[in-house]
Amino acid sequence: MPHVLALDVGGTKVATGLVDTFGGISHKDQIPTQEPDGDSLYDRLLRLVRNTLHQASGPVEAIGIGCGGPGKNAYELVSPLHIPEWDNFPLREKLENDLQVSTHVDNDAKALALAEGWVGTAKNCTNFLAMVVSTGVGGGIVLNGTLLDGADGNAGHVGHIYVDPEGGRDANGVSGLLEGSASGSALQRILDTPASNASDETRKHVGELVGRAVASVANLLDLQLAVVSGSVALGFGSIFFEAAQKEIDQLSRIEHARGTRIVPSALAADGPLIGAGAVGWRALGKDILNT
């Protein structure tokens, strides 16, 4: 069976796997992201990808990548906020040149939206928001069955919605945006301990902030479903989701947004890799959102 090699580039880890035409995933592997410089990280990433390629029992048709943003020129250049060593880094071009395999890159949260619409919680739904609340906060938006791209491929950056005048600063030094108060990296700065150690009160507050952002998107874009993944959201569990839903119910009272739901991703930890695979399959012509 043919596969796409999926590569998920996040703030704390880089993961690989092989994704088949049905969204099934195998041969998962990963390395930590932290490196003293961008070239060292790329070298280790390249070794990881080569090792995964060698695991394939059938043809690998392409490499699909979900990478933290922002990006330029439809993610020909990537500048992940949580990998400052990569500034306008030509990840797609370098991998394609080194491996001689067709390579395609998109934002990691947009990739997750593809996964959710393909085989996940939003399957058969034509209007939804997919969110990652992890090291950073990102989003991908599907409207009328189409993934929104924007001028440079950065549509859906829900982490940069203004939610709290007392909120912390994000990686760009801007206060009050969702990422500055709800991301894992922000919480570690605020709490001086990993986000996984957060109290119930903090988990509830983060859920309220995320709900505030989801309500803004629902009110603006006429959609009624938000599917959320990521270590912070899924790790915080029911306290987080119940607080978020309550906030949405209070803020989304205009008729077209009334009843908007926020739900955890059924794909759980596999969502980002399935999404990266979907980026590759989509570039090869597979109609990911209408299968």
Side-chain angles (χ1 to χ4, degrees):
M1 179 183 293
H3 289 83
V4 160
L5 187 144
L7 174 62
D8 174 52
V9 181
T12 57
K13 64 180 173 61
V14 176
T16 57
L18 297 173
V19 177
D20 64 26
T21 56
F22 300 102
I25 188 168
S26 61
H27 298 93
K28 293 183 288 185
D29 201 358
Q30 67 181 55
I31 59 172
T33 300
Q34 291 83 0
E35 284 292 341
D37 61 74
D39 289 338
S40 297
L41 174 58
Y42 177 76
D43 289 343
R44 292 187 66 230
L45 179 154
L46 182 60
R47 290 197 295 272
L48 177 69
V49 172
R50 282 181 169 143
N51 287 340
T52 305
L53 283 172
H54 292 155
Q55 301 294 318
S57 57
V60 174
E61 303 288 345
I63 297 172
I65 304 174
C67 183
K72 289 182 180 177
N73 302 329
Y75 275 67
E76 281 293 310
L77 301 174
V78 298
S79 301
L81 293 177
H82 299 286
I83 309 178
E85 298 83 5
W86 283 4
D87 185 23
N88 291 324
F89 191 77
L91 179 60
R92 188 207 66 79
E93 181 182 25
K94 286 176 71 66
L95 275 177
E96 189 164 282
N97 288 343
D98 285 333
L99 298 171
Q100 297 300 297
V101 179
S102 176
T103 302
H104 310 275
V105 185
D106 208 336
N107 174 266
D108 57 351
K110 288 170 63 191
L112 177 67
L114 291 176
E116 295 294 350
W118 183 22
V119 296
T121 308
K123 186 175 173 62
N124 300 321
C125 181
T126 55
N127 297 279
F128 66 92
L129 164 69
M131 282 185 71
V132 179
V133 185
S134 187
T135 305
V137 178
I141 296 168
V142 172
L143 281 185
N144 300 324
T146 299
L147 179 68
L148 299 188
D149 287 320
D152 270 329
N154 295 301
H157 260 69
V158 66
H160 296 267
I161 289 178
Y162 187 77
V163 294
D164 183 4
E166 304 299 323
R169 294 180 181 271
D170 69 1
N172 291 316
V174 181
S175 297
L177 307 186
L178 181 63
E179 182 155 319
S181 295
S183 67
S185 57
L187 289 168
Q188 179 148 357
R189 288 195 304 272
I190 294 166
L191 303 173
D192 197 28
T193 186
S196 57
N197 296 329
S199 66
D200 287 354
E201 182 181 358
T202 296
R203 294 172 188 230
K204 179 182 177 182
H205 179 61
V206 171
E208 289 169 348
L209 295 179
V210 169
R212 200 170 295 171
V214 169
S216 295
V217 174
N219 291 341
L220 177 67
L221 295 180
D222 191 6
L223 53 81
Q224 292 187 317
L225 176 65
V227 183
V228 184
S229 186
S231 59
V232 171
L234 298 182
F236 282 10
S238 59
I239 292 174
F240 167 91
F241 282 98
E242 288 168 6
Q245 186 64 65
K246 183 177 181 180
E247 193 76 4
I248 292 166
D249 292 343
Q250 290 176 344
L251 297 176
S252 292
R253 297 188 181 182
I254 190 169
E255 185 174 358
H256 65 261
R258 193 176 302 141
T260 295
R261 296 180 299 122
I262 183 168
V263 297
S265 169
L267 299 177
D270 285 340
L273 277 177
I274 296 172
V279 170
W281 282 119
R282 185 183 187 220
L284 293 171
K286 185 174 179 62
D287 192 1
I288 291 292
L289 292 175
N290 295 286
T291 54

